[in-house]
Short mmCIF file of all heavy atoms in Angstrom, two decimals:
data_model
loop_
_atom_site.label_atom_id
_atom_site.label_comp_id
_atom_site.label_asym_id
_atom_site.label_seq_id
_atom_site.Cartn_x
_atom_site.Cartn_y
_atom_site.Cartn_z
N LEU A 60 -82.51 -56.62 106.90
CA LEU A 60 -82.36 -57.46 105.75
C LEU A 60 -82.66 -56.75 104.42
O LEU A 60 -81.96 -56.83 103.41
CB LEU A 60 -83.22 -58.79 105.83
CG LEU A 60 -83.00 -59.82 104.76
CD1 LEU A 60 -81.59 -60.33 104.76
CD2 LEU A 60 -84.03 -60.90 104.92
N ALA A 61 -83.80 -55.98 104.46
CA ALA A 61 -84.16 -55.21 103.29
C ALA A 61 -83.10 -54.17 102.94
O ALA A 61 -82.73 -53.91 101.75
CB ALA A 61 -85.52 -54.55 103.46
N GLY A 62 -82.49 -53.57 104.03
CA GLY A 62 -81.47 -52.59 103.75
C GLY A 62 -80.21 -53.17 103.10
O GLY A 62 -79.57 -52.63 102.22
N LEU A 63 -79.82 -54.42 103.59
CA LEU A 63 -78.71 -55.11 103.00
C LEU A 63 -78.91 -55.46 101.51
O LEU A 63 -78.09 -55.28 100.65
CB LEU A 63 -78.43 -56.37 103.78
CG LEU A 63 -77.70 -56.16 105.11
CD1 LEU A 63 -77.61 -57.52 105.87
CD2 LEU A 63 -76.33 -55.52 104.88
N VAL A 64 -80.16 -55.93 101.19
CA VAL A 64 -80.48 -56.26 99.84
C VAL A 64 -80.47 -55.03 98.91
O VAL A 64 -79.95 -55.04 97.88
CB VAL A 64 -81.88 -56.94 99.78
CG1 VAL A 64 -82.41 -57.08 98.40
CG2 VAL A 64 -81.81 -58.31 100.44
N ILE A 65 -81.05 -53.91 99.43
CA ILE A 65 -81.01 -52.65 98.67
C ILE A 65 -79.57 -52.25 98.47
O ILE A 65 -79.23 -51.75 97.38
CB ILE A 65 -81.96 -51.61 99.31
CG1 ILE A 65 -83.38 -52.01 99.23
CG2 ILE A 65 -81.69 -50.29 98.77
CD1 ILE A 65 -84.29 -51.14 100.03
N ARG A 66 -78.84 -52.21 99.52
CA ARG A 66 -77.42 -51.83 99.40
C ARG A 66 -76.69 -52.62 98.37
O ARG A 66 -75.91 -52.06 97.53
CB ARG A 66 -76.69 -51.84 100.78
CG ARG A 66 -75.31 -51.27 100.68
CD ARG A 66 -74.58 -51.34 101.98
NE ARG A 66 -74.17 -52.76 102.15
CZ ARG A 66 -73.52 -53.15 103.22
NH1 ARG A 66 -73.27 -52.34 104.25
NH2 ARG A 66 -73.27 -54.42 103.37
N GLU A 67 -76.80 -53.95 98.41
CA GLU A 67 -76.02 -54.78 97.47
C GLU A 67 -76.57 -54.72 96.05
O GLU A 67 -75.86 -54.91 95.10
CB GLU A 67 -76.11 -56.28 98.06
CG GLU A 67 -75.34 -56.48 99.26
CD GLU A 67 -73.86 -56.17 99.11
OE1 GLU A 67 -73.27 -56.48 98.08
OE2 GLU A 67 -73.34 -55.63 100.08
N THR A 68 -77.93 -54.38 95.98
CA THR A 68 -78.46 -54.25 94.63
C THR A 68 -78.08 -52.94 93.89
O THR A 68 -77.62 -52.97 92.76
CB THR A 68 -80.00 -54.36 94.71
OG1 THR A 68 -80.31 -55.60 95.23
CG2 THR A 68 -80.59 -54.31 93.29
N PHE A 69 -78.25 -51.82 94.62
CA PHE A 69 -78.04 -50.59 93.99
C PHE A 69 -76.70 -49.97 94.24
O PHE A 69 -76.20 -49.15 93.49
CB PHE A 69 -79.07 -49.59 94.57
CG PHE A 69 -80.53 -49.92 94.15
CD1 PHE A 69 -81.41 -50.37 95.11
CD2 PHE A 69 -80.89 -49.81 92.87
CE1 PHE A 69 -82.66 -50.68 94.69
CE2 PHE A 69 -82.17 -50.20 92.49
CZ PHE A 69 -83.08 -50.65 93.41
N PHE A 70 -75.96 -50.47 95.31
CA PHE A 70 -74.69 -49.93 95.59
C PHE A 70 -73.68 -51.10 95.79
O PHE A 70 -73.32 -51.44 96.98
CB PHE A 70 -74.65 -48.96 96.84
CG PHE A 70 -75.73 -47.92 96.80
CD1 PHE A 70 -76.89 -48.02 97.48
CD2 PHE A 70 -75.47 -46.84 96.08
CE1 PHE A 70 -77.81 -47.09 97.46
CE2 PHE A 70 -76.44 -45.87 96.05
CZ PHE A 70 -77.63 -45.97 96.71
N PRO A 71 -73.31 -51.78 94.74
CA PRO A 71 -72.44 -52.97 94.89
C PRO A 71 -71.09 -52.57 95.60
O PRO A 71 -70.62 -51.48 95.44
CB PRO A 71 -72.24 -53.47 93.47
CG PRO A 71 -72.59 -52.30 92.62
CD PRO A 71 -73.45 -51.45 93.35
N ALA A 72 -70.49 -53.67 96.18
CA ALA A 72 -69.25 -53.44 96.91
C ALA A 72 -68.19 -53.04 95.79
O ALA A 72 -68.20 -53.58 94.68
CB ALA A 72 -68.92 -54.65 97.64
N ALA A 73 -67.29 -52.30 96.24
CA ALA A 73 -66.21 -51.86 95.32
C ALA A 73 -65.28 -53.09 95.08
O ALA A 73 -64.89 -53.77 95.92
CB ALA A 73 -65.35 -50.69 95.89
N THR A 74 -65.01 -53.27 93.79
CA THR A 74 -64.06 -54.42 93.47
C THR A 74 -62.66 -53.83 93.49
O THR A 74 -62.44 -52.64 93.24
CB THR A 74 -64.39 -54.90 92.02
OG1 THR A 74 -64.30 -53.83 91.06
CG2 THR A 74 -65.77 -55.51 91.98
N PRO A 75 -61.75 -54.70 93.74
CA PRO A 75 -60.31 -54.13 93.76
C PRO A 75 -60.01 -53.62 92.47
O PRO A 75 -60.24 -54.20 91.40
CB PRO A 75 -59.48 -55.45 94.11
CG PRO A 75 -60.43 -56.44 94.61
CD PRO A 75 -61.84 -56.11 94.12
N SER A 76 -59.43 -52.41 92.43
CA SER A 76 -59.07 -51.80 91.15
C SER A 76 -57.75 -52.30 90.71
O SER A 76 -56.95 -52.85 91.47
CB SER A 76 -58.96 -50.24 91.40
OG SER A 76 -60.24 -49.76 91.79
N THR A 77 -57.44 -52.00 89.42
CA THR A 77 -56.21 -52.49 88.85
C THR A 77 -55.24 -51.35 88.97
O THR A 77 -55.51 -50.27 88.78
CB THR A 77 -56.41 -52.81 87.41
OG1 THR A 77 -56.89 -51.71 86.75
CG2 THR A 77 -57.41 -53.99 87.23
N MET A 78 -54.05 -51.73 89.35
CA MET A 78 -52.95 -50.80 89.38
C MET A 78 -52.12 -51.07 88.22
O MET A 78 -51.71 -52.29 87.89
CB MET A 78 -52.16 -50.98 90.67
CG MET A 78 -52.70 -50.36 91.84
SD MET A 78 -51.74 -50.45 93.34
CE MET A 78 -50.10 -50.25 92.82
N SER A 79 -51.71 -50.07 87.50
CA SER A 79 -50.95 -50.27 86.31
C SER A 79 -49.60 -49.46 86.47
O SER A 79 -49.64 -48.34 86.80
CB SER A 79 -51.70 -49.89 85.04
OG SER A 79 -51.92 -48.51 85.09
N VAL A 80 -48.56 -50.12 86.14
CA VAL A 80 -47.25 -49.48 86.12
C VAL A 80 -46.84 -49.53 84.72
O VAL A 80 -46.94 -50.57 84.01
CB VAL A 80 -46.22 -50.19 87.03
CG1 VAL A 80 -44.93 -49.54 86.91
CG2 VAL A 80 -46.83 -50.19 88.46
N PRO A 81 -46.33 -48.44 84.14
CA PRO A 81 -45.89 -48.50 82.76
C PRO A 81 -44.96 -49.56 82.48
O PRO A 81 -44.11 -49.98 83.39
CB PRO A 81 -45.24 -47.11 82.48
CG PRO A 81 -45.77 -46.25 83.63
CD PRO A 81 -46.13 -47.18 84.68
N ALA A 82 -44.95 -50.25 81.31
CA ALA A 82 -44.06 -51.32 80.99
C ALA A 82 -42.59 -50.93 81.01
O ALA A 82 -41.78 -51.75 81.51
CB ALA A 82 -44.46 -51.81 79.61
N ASP A 83 -42.33 -49.79 80.66
CA ASP A 83 -40.98 -49.35 80.72
C ASP A 83 -40.71 -48.67 82.01
O ASP A 83 -40.72 -47.45 82.14
CB ASP A 83 -40.56 -48.39 79.55
CG ASP A 83 -41.55 -47.21 79.45
OD1 ASP A 83 -42.66 -47.29 80.00
OD2 ASP A 83 -41.12 -46.25 78.81
N ALA A 84 -40.54 -49.37 83.07
CA ALA A 84 -40.33 -48.89 84.43
C ALA A 84 -39.16 -47.99 84.48
O ALA A 84 -38.07 -48.22 83.88
CB ALA A 84 -40.18 -50.02 85.40
N ALA A 85 -39.21 -46.90 85.26
CA ALA A 85 -38.22 -45.90 85.24
C ALA A 85 -37.02 -46.42 86.07
O ALA A 85 -37.20 -47.16 87.06
CB ALA A 85 -38.69 -44.59 85.85
N PRO A 86 -35.89 -45.99 85.73
CA PRO A 86 -34.67 -46.34 86.54
C PRO A 86 -34.79 -45.67 87.98
O PRO A 86 -35.68 -44.88 88.22
CB PRO A 86 -33.44 -45.75 85.83
CG PRO A 86 -33.97 -45.37 84.41
CD PRO A 86 -35.44 -45.26 84.56
N ASN A 87 -34.00 -46.08 88.92
CA ASN A 87 -34.11 -45.71 90.26
C ASN A 87 -33.99 -44.11 90.52
O ASN A 87 -34.43 -43.60 91.48
CB ASN A 87 -33.06 -46.39 91.14
CG ASN A 87 -33.40 -47.85 91.26
OD1 ASN A 87 -34.52 -48.25 91.06
ND2 ASN A 87 -32.38 -48.70 91.55
N ASP A 88 -33.35 -43.42 89.65
CA ASP A 88 -33.12 -41.98 89.89
C ASP A 88 -34.17 -41.16 89.23
O ASP A 88 -34.22 -39.94 89.45
CB ASP A 88 -31.75 -41.61 89.35
CG ASP A 88 -31.60 -41.87 87.85
OD1 ASP A 88 -32.36 -42.65 87.31
OD2 ASP A 88 -30.62 -41.25 87.28
N GLN A 89 -35.19 -41.70 88.56
CA GLN A 89 -36.28 -40.90 87.90
C GLN A 89 -37.55 -41.16 88.69
O GLN A 89 -37.74 -42.09 89.41
CB GLN A 89 -36.41 -41.32 86.49
CG GLN A 89 -35.22 -40.97 85.59
CD GLN A 89 -35.48 -41.30 84.17
OE1 GLN A 89 -36.53 -41.87 83.82
NE2 GLN A 89 -34.57 -40.91 83.29
N LYS A 90 -38.46 -40.27 88.46
CA LYS A 90 -39.80 -40.29 89.09
C LYS A 90 -40.58 -41.49 88.47
O LYS A 90 -40.44 -41.74 87.24
CB LYS A 90 -40.52 -39.04 88.90
CG LYS A 90 -39.94 -37.90 89.72
CD LYS A 90 -40.74 -36.62 89.49
CE LYS A 90 -40.07 -35.49 90.32
NZ LYS A 90 -40.80 -34.25 90.03
N LEU A 91 -41.41 -42.10 89.29
CA LEU A 91 -42.27 -43.21 88.83
C LEU A 91 -43.72 -42.80 89.06
O LEU A 91 -44.11 -42.27 90.06
CB LEU A 91 -41.94 -44.42 89.66
CG LEU A 91 -42.85 -45.66 89.42
CD1 LEU A 91 -42.60 -46.22 88.01
CD2 LEU A 91 -42.57 -46.71 90.43
N GLN A 92 -44.55 -43.04 88.03
CA GLN A 92 -46.04 -42.76 88.11
C GLN A 92 -46.75 -44.04 88.23
O GLN A 92 -46.49 -45.02 87.50
CB GLN A 92 -46.43 -41.95 86.93
CG GLN A 92 -46.15 -40.47 86.91
CD GLN A 92 -46.85 -39.77 85.85
OE1 GLN A 92 -47.42 -40.39 84.93
NE2 GLN A 92 -46.84 -38.52 85.88
N ILE A 93 -47.71 -44.09 89.22
CA ILE A 93 -48.59 -45.17 89.35
C ILE A 93 -50.06 -44.63 89.01
O ILE A 93 -50.50 -43.74 89.61
CB ILE A 93 -48.54 -45.81 90.76
CG1 ILE A 93 -47.13 -46.31 91.01
CG2 ILE A 93 -49.55 -46.90 90.88
CD1 ILE A 93 -46.95 -46.81 92.42
N HIS A 94 -50.69 -45.34 88.06
CA HIS A 94 -52.02 -44.94 87.66
C HIS A 94 -52.95 -45.97 88.36
O HIS A 94 -52.82 -47.11 88.28
CB HIS A 94 -52.19 -45.01 86.16
CG HIS A 94 -51.22 -44.13 85.48
ND1 HIS A 94 -51.63 -42.82 85.09
CD2 HIS A 94 -49.97 -44.26 85.00
CE1 HIS A 94 -50.64 -42.20 84.50
NE2 HIS A 94 -49.62 -43.09 84.41
#
Side-chain angles (χ1 to χ4, degrees):
L60 183 64
L63 285 175
V64 169
I65 289 171
R66 184 182 75 180
E67 292 300 320
T68 303
F69 296 110
F70 308 105
T74 56
S76 298
T77 58
M78 284 184 35
S79 63
V80 178
D83 54 340
N87 289 341
D88 60 342
Q89 291 183 359
K90 293 180 182 177
L91 174 69
Q92 280 191 350
I93 299 175
H94 299 269

